[in-house]
Amino acid sequence: MLFLSLSLKAQVSFHVSGAPTKHQIEDVPRLLENMLEENPDKDIFFYVHGRSRTLEKELRRSKQIEENYNVKVLMLHWESWSSTITRPTDNAKNAGLELSKAITYLKMFKDKHAVVFEDKKLFVLFHSMGNLILKSYVENHFNEQLNE
């Protein structure tokens, strides 16, 4: 008999500026502070990628975004590939909780630096299947945050 162990915790990591170093959700406030301190003249771009075979591809895309738009990128990476013929929709749904936490940190960061954000922008992009993470967040966590 074969038993499978399924984890509902999403495999999510955060990456800054196309660097391969993996960070956890608890690191996001420090990462944002570092981005602001090291690059006070650049806007912040929060990026959630779509279905992709490799992390390396998305790290390159993050660097391209930075170069093309003169921003600093914080990317939420999720396990977005299972096979050529399947779509990892469960992985996207499970990442909604991590997105909820990240949005909370983004809002706290923006509130803490309200004067800075009179001139600075915080962009958010959900590419392709990354929108399923946003959908999961809205359906399962958005109302919780509204009531806080």
Side-chain angles (χ1 to χ4, degrees):
M1 189 179 305
L2 176 66
F3 292 96
L4 296 177
S5 172
L6 299 176
S7 172
L8 291 179
K9 180 162 173 45
Q11 297 297 316
V12 170
S13 58
F14 293 85
H15 301 266
V16 176
S17 304
T21 305
K22 291 182 179 184
H23 300 279
Q24 299 307 309
I25 185 65
E26 297 80 17
D27 300 323
V28 168
R30 177 183 50 79
L31 296 173
L32 290 167
E33 291 292 342
N34 291 347
M35 291 169 79
L36 179 61
E37 183 179 314
E38 295 168 8
N39 303 280
D41 58 324
K42 293 190 177 186
D43 293 327
I44 296 174
F45 194 102
F46 183 71
Y47 171 58
V48 180
H49 65 79
R51 184 170 175 243
S52 181
R53 281 185 189 225
T54 67
L55 170 60
E56 291 74 23
K57 177 182 173 186
E58 294 309 323
L59 293 174
R60 285 191 304 273
R61 183 171 289 159
S62 292
K63 273 313 247 186
Q64 286 178 322
I65 291 169
E66 285 194 342
E67 292 167 5
N68 291 344
Y69 299 102
N70 194 33
V71 296
K72 293 306 290 180
V73 174
L74 175 62
M75 178 180 74
L76 182 155
H77 171 68
W78 59 288
E79 295 299 320
S80 60
W81 186 263
S82 52
S83 77
T84 305
I85 60 172
T86 61
R87 297 175 67 223
T89 55
D90 287 341
N91 292 355
K93 288 176 190 172
N94 293 337
L97 177 60
E98 298 299 298
L99 175 61
S100 175
K101 294 174 188 176
I103 288 174
T104 297
Y105 288 138
L106 288 168
K107 180 172 181 347
M108 289 169 49
F109 175 73
K110 194 170 178 195
D111 290 347
K112 178 179 177 183
H113 299 285
V115 173
V116 172
F117 279 97
E118 289 176 5
D119 297 319
K120 185 181 272 302
K121 292 182 178 73
L122 173 62
F123 297 98
V124 179
L125 173 68
F126 295 86
H127 180 254
S128 190
M129 274 190 73
N131 281 288
L132 293 179
I133 298 172
L134 177 60
K135 180 181 180 205
S136 173
Y137 160 71
V138 169
E139 289 175 347
N140 300 304
H141 307 287
F142 182 71
N143 286 334
E144 296 169 11
Q145 288 184 327
L146 283 179
N147 294 327
E148 290 179 352

